[in-house]
Amino acid sequence: MEREAIVKIEVDGLGEGFMQKKDLHLTNEEIPQSVFMLDNSDFLVRTEIDELKEKFKGKEVLQYLLIDGEFKGAMLGHWRIGPHDIEDITLCLGEEEPETRKEEIISAVRTGYSVETTHILRFNGENL
């Protein structure tokens, strides 16, 4: 805030928050798409952990996927010390969206899981 990189704003229904000053002019239609892979210790995951556990109940979640600012996916598998495969990247997206964003989502996953050590076996329930 001292450097004026972020500003305090009021968000309807949510209260006070912060936003990058350079993004103040953006409308919802102009906000770029994004995919981030976050683990259980991330503070954004911690704030929604109860809802996430319910959404992915009975599944072994390795990481969660924050897609366009909302938790809309998870990477499933069995965590081990050392290399392990991702059994599925499961998504809560519209009917066509998983296929159109497949490369973007896999790229986000690959930021933490190398192609040399980790195979992705399924994408949204379909074999790769």
Side-chain angles (χ1 to χ4, degrees), residues 102-115:
K102 186 175 186 175
E103 285 183 37
E104 176 188 12
I105 292 166
I106 289 175
S107 177
V109 169
R110 288 294 180 206
T111 62
Y113 290 87
S114 159
V115 71

Side-chain angles (χ1 to χ4, degrees), residues 25-126:
H25 70 282
L26 295 176
T27 66
N28 283 340
E29 292 78 32
E30 297 172 320
I31 296 174
Q33 293 180 334
S34 62
V35 179
F36 297 97
M37 179 179 65
L38 304 172
D39 69 34
N40 285 331
S41 66
D42 189 279
F43 73 96
L44 290 174
V45 172
R46 302 303 307 158
T47 62
E48 296 190 36
I49 196 67
D50 292 337
E51 293 86 358
L52 290 169
K53 284 182 178 180
E54 185 62 32
K55 184 184 272 190
F56 300 103
K57 192 174 189 170
K59 298 179 179 172
E60 265 189 278
V61 175
L62 298 169
Q63 307 264 354
Y64 292 99
L65 295 171
L66 186 71
I67 301 173
D68 301 336
E70 295 178 51
F71 287 103
K72 295 181 182 177
M75 297 165 28
L76 307 179
H78 183 70
W79 188 87
R80 296 173 182 82
I81 295 175
H84 54 279
D85 291 336
I86 297 167
E87 292 176 19
D88 196 5
I89 297 173
T90 187
L91 304 167
C92 305
L93 298 172
E95 196 172 309
E96 303 293 321
E97 199 172 3
E99 195 57 39
T100 61
R101 298 191 67 185
K102 186 175 186 175
E103 285 183 37
E104 176 188 12
I105 292 166
I106 289 175
S107 177
V109 169
R110 288 294 180 206
T111 62
Y113 290 87
S114 159
V115 71
E116 290 85 23
T117 61
T118 304
H119 295 93
I120 301 171
L121 304 179
R122 288 185 297 286
F123 182 85
N124 211 31
E126 299 196 12

